[in-house]
Amino acid sequence: MLLEQIRHVAGGEILYLPQGGSLDGLVQTMRQAGTIVISGPCYINTWPARLLELLEMAARMGGFSGQKLYGIINGGMPYVHTHRHGLCCLEFFAERSGLSWQGGFVLGGGAMLDGRPLEKHMNSRKVVPAFAQFVRHIAEGSPTPDSLYEEAELHPGRLLTRFFAWLLSAMVVKRLKQHGHDPDAPNWYLGEHGRRY
Amino acid sequence: MTVIISDDSAGDWGRLLEEALSRAGTKSRHFAVNTLDIRPCSGCGSCSGKTYGRCIIPDDMQLLLPHIAACRTLVLLSPMVFGGVSHHVKRVMDRMSALGDPRYYLRDGELVKGMTGPGLRYYMVGIGNTSSAAERSAFLSLHEENRRIMDVEGRAFILDDVRDPAAMRQIAGEICCA
């Protein structure tokens, strides 16, 4: 959905990261592009392993010549700091591989969108115009300031955060019970140990 | 028990740390993940739903997960790549979601998750001899974010020369004494 919005404004082609097999073809396509936008989910505070594998392979193969690089990292937590490593990672990749880092966008609370439009985001009033501005920077080929996503960060406050924790946990527990699981049972892999040793 | 997960693509680093820990009096188990068949997490959500606490991808991660679930101390040892860990080590981190508590908690006014079972100590060791100051800082920040979101204790180390026995000894000592 986010990439469709970029394509609508800036043009280009959307390619998907294959979960298996060779990444050579994708790296070749990246080399031929003038502008690259990398978008993906946040797994434990940075990109998933498969995307890191692509970056490692692209750095190893080389052959980049100043391509403009933008990034979008999208995760469940509403905070910027839990996602920021992903953008730092792209910046280091660009520095080491001869690309030109142009900045990125952190979309916290994005997992709850689950494929729906950005207008359904819980902080849409700020996120929608900020992301539109980000897309305009891509279309113009200009650097994007971190302030775009920083100012769109949701600050729910302690009371609302406590409510979110309760609500989200209640949804998780309901789902687990529907599948016949006890949320407080020892992990399946602990087997007969039942505890750390 | 201490479990060492290492990417030994560029050297026999995991064994060196295992030996240093042994000399410091800690028994550990070492897995060189670059030699194992560990596929990427597909984000299917089964481990937090239908097969709660269990990953359904049938590969070598099924051998690792019981050890990680049961260990008191987990050490991830990796070349520093773009201010983080290599994709080999990250595959393990991603797949560890099967050991996570899918519920949400409040810590210092923010949402966090956690790990199933109390008391895990979590360390990252980055081999950073070619890394910039900014990459080193990002590596330490990544560990701190991981530590907070998993709600565990531990710290990160950066090792410039893996063959420096004093530096390895110091890291082993800190891990043992914690």
Side-chain angles (χ1 to χ4, degrees), chain A residues 2 5-6 12-13 18 40-42 52 73 76 82 89-90 107 114 136 143-144 148 151 155 158 161 178:
Chain A
L2 302 176
Q5 187 177 341
I6 294 171
E13 183 185 0
C42 188
L52 294 179
I73 187 159
T82 55
C89 174
L90 289 185
L107 183 62
D114 199 20
R136 278 196 291 276
T144 66
L148 271 183
E151 287 167 12
H155 299 283
R158 191 173 280 266
T161 303
Q178 280 172 346

Side-chain angles (χ1 to χ4, degrees), chain A residues 30-36 62-70 93-102 141-142:
Chain A
M30 286 168 68
R31 283 167 162 171
Q32 290 159 9
T35 297
I36 300 163
F64 292 95
S65 52
Q67 282 90 340
K68 290 182 177 176
L69 178 65
Y70 298 86
F93 162 69
E95 280 173 7
R96 287 180 171 268
S97 308
L99 292 91
S100 174
W101 174 241
Q102 300 292 308
S142 57

Side-chain angles (χ1 to χ4, degrees), chain A residues 18-81:
Chain A
Q19 288 305 297
S22 170
L23 294 167
D24 290 11
L26 196 48
V27 175
Q28 295 285 3
T29 309
M30 286 168 68
R31 283 167 162 171
Q32 290 159 9
T35 297
I36 300 163
V37 181
I38 291 180
S39 175
C42 188
Y43 279 19
I44 320 183
N45 305 117
T46 191
W47 303 110
R50 184 65 169 166
L51 182 44
L52 294 179
E53 190 176 359
L54 173 70
L55 299 180
E56 287 177 31
M57 172 150 287
R60 210 166 35 244
M61 289 172 67
F64 292 95
S65 52
Q67 282 90 340
K68 290 182 177 176
L69 178 65
Y70 298 86
I72 304 166
I73 187 159
N74 173 3
M77 289 293 176
Y79 316 112
V80 165
H81 69 84

Side-chain angles (χ1 to χ4, degrees), chain B residues 91-139:
Chain B
R91 282 189 183 191
V92 174
M93 293 169 74
D94 292 349
R95 297 278 298 281
M96 276 171 53
S97 58
L99 307 179
D101 183 340
R103 289 168 289 190
Y104 292 79
Y105 301 94
L106 196 64
R107 293 279 182 275
D108 302 323
E110 290 197 350
L111 289 174
V112 298
K113 291 212 167 174
M115 301 298 285
T116 49
L120 176 68
R121 299 193 66 84
Y122 171 71
Y123 296 90
M124 276 169 48
V125 182
I127 312 299
N129 52 334
T130 62
S131 301
S132 67
E135 285 173 296
R136 288 160 179 262
S137 173
F139 186 84

Side-chain angles (χ1 to χ4, degrees), chain B residues 14 17 20 31 36 68 87 127 144-145 172 174:
Chain B
L17 181 59
F31 299 93
L36 300 177
I68 299 173
H87 79 273
I127 312 299
E144 178 58 16
E145 291 291 348
E174 291 206 34

